Amino acid sequence: MTKPAQTILSSPRFNAAHSLSLSLAILSTLCSVSAYSEQTDKERIKSLEQRLLELEQQVQKKNNQSSTIAKDGKNQSSNSEKVVVIPKTTQRPSHDFEAPDKSIVLSNSDTTLQIGGQIWLDAIYNSGEMTNRAGFQTSSIAYENNTTKDNTLLSVGQSNLSFKSYTPTQYGAMTTRFEFDMFDDQGNADFNLTHLWGEIGDFGAGQTFSGFMDINSFPNILDFWGPNSMVFSRQPQVRYSTAVSESGRIMFTIEKSASDFAVPKSSTKADYDDINELPDLTVSYLHSGDFGYIKSAMVFRQLGYETLSTKDTTLGWGLNISGAITLTSADSIKFQLAHGEGIGRYVNDTCCSYYSDETGGVDAGIDGNGRLKAIPVTGGFAYYNKQWSKKWSSAIGYSYLTIDNLVTQKDKAIKNSAYSTANLIWYPASQIKAGVELQYGDVQSKSNLEADNFRVQASVGFKY
C-alpha cells in the first residue's frame, strides 16, 4: 500500500537523502561561481597591469619630451607637456626654505611663472631705547632715556611675496624677479619694493642687490636688519656678469648714486644739497670650490655737495672681502671685511643712523682745511653656523664697525658700534621654521656718548 505523501516526506530516510542531494547541488553551484569569480579577477588584474604599463610608457615619453625642451629652450611639444625649473634666486638664509618649486605655464607662451613668499611673525622684547622697533639696528639706539615707550612688539614685516618668470630665447634664458616685503621699522606692515629685476644671458637691469655686497654671506639669523657692518644695499643698476673659468665669475655694475653728506657743526642739513652727477661703479670676482667661496668687490663713487656759494666733489672707494668656508658637512663660517672712504651709505649702521637728520650721513664731510673729504669706514663680522640635525641649527657671531670721524662732524655722529647674536632654529617641516634669538648691540658717538640694547626675539615663518 502506498504511503501518504506527508508520511514519505517526514521519513528519516527520505530527509537524509534529500538533504545530501541538496547540499551537493549547492556546493557544486558555489564552486562554479567561485571558479568563475576567480577567473574574472585574474582577467581584471591582467587588464589593469597592461593598462598601467601603457600609462608608464606615456609618462616616460612626456618626460623625455620635457627634458628636451628644458635643455634646448625650444618648444617641441604642447604647453601642457612643458616642464621648466626656474633657477633659484639668492636671498638671506633665514628666508631660504626647502619648499617645492611651484610653477604655472602661461598659455600661448613659452614663459613659466613662479609665485612664492612667506608669512613671518617676530615677537620682540627690548631692554634699551632702540628706535628701530622691528630690526636690530645698533645705530638706532637712542642716547636719551624715554625715547621709546613700549618694550614689546609683534611684527609681520619679514613677510614677503615674489613673482619670478623664465622664458627661453635665442639669446639665452630670460628671467625676471618682482618681489616686495612688508617691513617697517616701527613694526607696521607696509609695502616695500625689494626687487624689480630682469636678466637675459649675462646681462641684467632693474633693482636688486648691489654688486658691492654679498647676500650669500648674510648669516643664518632671525633678525631682519643684519650685522651692523654688513654691506647691504638694493638699488637700480645695469649689470654684466660672466664666468671666466669653471670656478670663477666676474661682474661689473653701473648703479644709482646717492651721496650722503655729513653736515658740519655750525650748519643744518637744509644748508647743503648732495651732488650725484655720476653713477657708482662696482667690479667683483667670485671664486668657488669645495672649500666654499670667496668674493672680492670694489666700488668707486663721486661724492659732492653744493650750497648757494660753494660746490665741491671728491672720490669715494671701497673694498669688500666676503665668503663662506665649509668646515664639515654640518659646520661653516661666514665672514665679511670691508674698508673704504665714502662708503657709509652701503653699510647697515652708517646708512641710517637715528640721528642722521641732525648729523647728515657719513659718506663725506668738510675737513679741517675746508675741503670735502670722504670719511673712512672699516667693519667686519664672522659667524659660525652649526647644523645640529636636519631639524635644528644654530648661528653665533660678532660684528664691529668703526668710523674715522672728521673734526667738523657733529657730536652725535656715529663713531663705532658692535653687534652680536646667538640663536636656535627649529625646522618642524620643510616649509616651516621657528626659533629664538638673543641680540646685543652698543653704539658710541663722536663725543663718546654711549648706549646699548639687549633684545630677545622669537620668530616663526611659513613658506608658500
Side-chain angles (χ1 to χ4, degrees):
M1 183 176 68
T2 304
K3 294 182 179 179
Q6 184 175 359
T7 305
I8 297 174
L9 291 176
S10 60
S11 69
R13 183 178 298 178
F14 179 86
N15 287 341
H18 179 74
S19 298
L20 179 61
S21 299
L22 184 60
S23 298
L24 290 174
I26 293 173
L27 181 61
S28 176
T29 302
L30 289 175
C31 289
S32 300
V33 171
S34 175
Y36 176 79
S37 176
E38 180 179 355
Q39 181 67 23
T40 302
D41 288 342
K42 288 182 178 179
E43 291 175 354
R44 289 175 180 172
I45 292 173
K46 185 175 181 180
S47 176
L48 288 174
E49 288 176 342
Q50 180 64 30
R51 179 55 179 161
L52 181 60
L53 180 61
E54 293 174 357
L55 290 174
E56 288 178 345
Q57 292 173 346
Q58 293 176 13
V59 170
Q60 183 62 38
K61 181 179 178 181
K62 290 184 178 181
N63 285 340
N64 292 337
Q65 292 173 342
S66 299
S67 298
T68 301
I69 293 171
K71 181 176 180 181
D72 299 337
K74 298 177 181 179
N75 189 0
Q76 298 175 354
S77 61
S78 65
N79 280 340
S80 62
E81 297 174 342
K82 182 172 60 177
V83 177
V84 176
V85 177
I86 298 179
K88 193 173 184 179
T89 54
T90 54
Q91 54 189 326
R92 65 184 67 188
S94 60
H95 292 177
D96 188 13
F97 291 67
E98 293 182 0
D101 293 328
K102 303 167 287 297
S103 300
I104 302 172
V105 179
L106 302 183
S107 60
N108 301 318
S109 172
D110 291 331
T111 297
T112 301
L113 181 67
Q114 190 176 96
I115 303 174
Q118 66 186 27
I119 303 299
W120 189 284
L121 173 71
D122 292 324
I124 293 170
Y125 171 80
N126 291 290
S127 67
E129 304 290 332
M130 181 165 277
T131 59
N132 187 333
R133 310 299 291 153
F136 197 81
Q137 177 194 353
T138 51
S139 64
S140 76
I141 304 174
Y143 300 117
E144 301 83 10
N145 293 326
N146 300 320
T147 303
T148 59
K149 295 181 180 180
D150 300 323
N151 290 335
T152 60
L153 175 73
L154 293 177
S155 171
V156 295
Q158 294 200 59
S159 302
N160 60 35
L161 175 64
S162 66
F163 301 87
K164 294 179 287 184
S165 73
Y166 175 96
T167 307
T169 76
Q170 59 179 323
Y171 303 106
M174 184 189 78
T175 60
T176 64
R177 181 182 185 183
F178 170 47
E179 186 174 314
F180 62 86
D181 63 31
M182 308 298 292
F183 182 79
D184 174 82
D185 62 8
Q186 297 306 301
N188 303 312
D190 197 5
F191 290 97
N192 176 41
L193 178 66
T194 56
H195 298 274
L196 196 59
W197 181 250
E199 289 185 4
I200 183 168
D202 292 337
F203 293 90
Q207 175 173 302
T208 192
F209 298 119
S210 168
F212 185 51
M213 70 170 286
D214 177 15
I215 187 60
N216 291 309
S217 69
F218 200 102
N220 188 21
I221 58 178
L222 299 176
D223 170 41
F224 176 85
W225 199 260
N228 60 330
S229 64
M230 178 82 189
V231 174
F232 196 112
S233 178
R234 288 181 291 250
Q235 56 194 18
Q237 61 188 271
V238 178
R239 171 183 295 180
Y240 174 73
S241 175
T242 187
V244 294
S245 67
E246 291 184 358
S247 57
R249 191 170 190 86
I250 193 168
M251 182 170 67
F252 303 90
T253 69
I254 301 174
E255 305 185 7
K256 178 183 177 180
S257 179
S259 180
D260 202 1
F261 181 72
V263 181
K265 291 180 179 180
S266 58
S267 306
T268 64
K269 196 171 182 179
D271 297 330
Y272 293 84
D273 291 324
D274 294 324
I275 296 177
N276 302 291
E277 295 177 337
L278 296 174
D280 294 354
L281 305 176
T282 80
V283 57
S284 62
Y285 176 75
L286 175 70
H287 181 78
S288 58
D290 294 336
F291 68 93
Y293 79 93
I294 295 178
K295 178 181 178 179
S296 57
M298 294 194 70
V299 62
F300 301 94
R301 318 180 60 205
Q302 184 196 64
L303 310 171
Y305 79 94
E306 65 179 352
T307 66
L308 295 176
S309 59
T310 309
K311 178 179 179 179
D312 200 0
T313 60
T314 190
L315 176 67
W317 63 273
L319 175 64
N320 184 18
I321 307 295
S322 59
I325 305 299
T326 301
L327 303 177
T328 68
S329 59
D331 302 84
S332 65
I333 294 177
K334 291 192 173 185
F335 67 92
Q336 177 202 277
L337 178 61
H339 174 75
E341 297 181 358
I343 61 171
R345 186 178 71 84
Y346 282 91
V347 180
N348 259 349
D349 243 10
T350 52
C351 76
C352 326
S353 169
Y354 173 64
Y355 297 99
S356 59
D357 287 341
E358 175 186 344
T359 65
V362 291
D363 278 345
I366 305 299
D367 64 13
N369 298 319
R371 297 289 298 175
L372 182 64
K373 176 178 172 53
I375 300 174
V377 175
T378 303
F381 66 79
Y383 264 80
Y384 172 70
N385 298 291
K386 176 69 175 179
Q387 192 73 38
W388 301 104
S389 67
K390 186 177 181 180
K391 292 186 176 294
W392 296 92
S393 73
S394 292
I396 184 170
Y398 177 80
S399 176
Y400 185 77
L401 177 69
T402 182
I403 297 96
D404 189 4
N405 298 120
L406 303 176
V407 295
T408 61
Q409 284 187 263
K410 295 192 174 184
D411 290 342
K412 289 184 179 179
I414 181 174
K415 180 180 179 181
N416 55 58
S417 63
Y419 172 105
S420 58
T421 65
N423 64 37
L424 179 63
I425 301 177
W426 178 41
Y427 309 84
S430 63
Q431 294 178 241
I432 305 173
K433 64 175 56 176
V436 61
E437 187 167 86
L438 306 180
Q439 306 159 358
Y440 177 79
D442 63 75
V443 63
Q444 185 178 33
S445 74
K446 175 177 174 286
S447 61
N448 295 321
L449 294 172
E450 293 187 50
D452 65 354
N453 181 49
F454 174 77
R455 172 180 286 184
V456 180
Q457 176 176 325
S459 303
V460 60
F462 306 89
K463 192 76 170 182
Y464 59 86

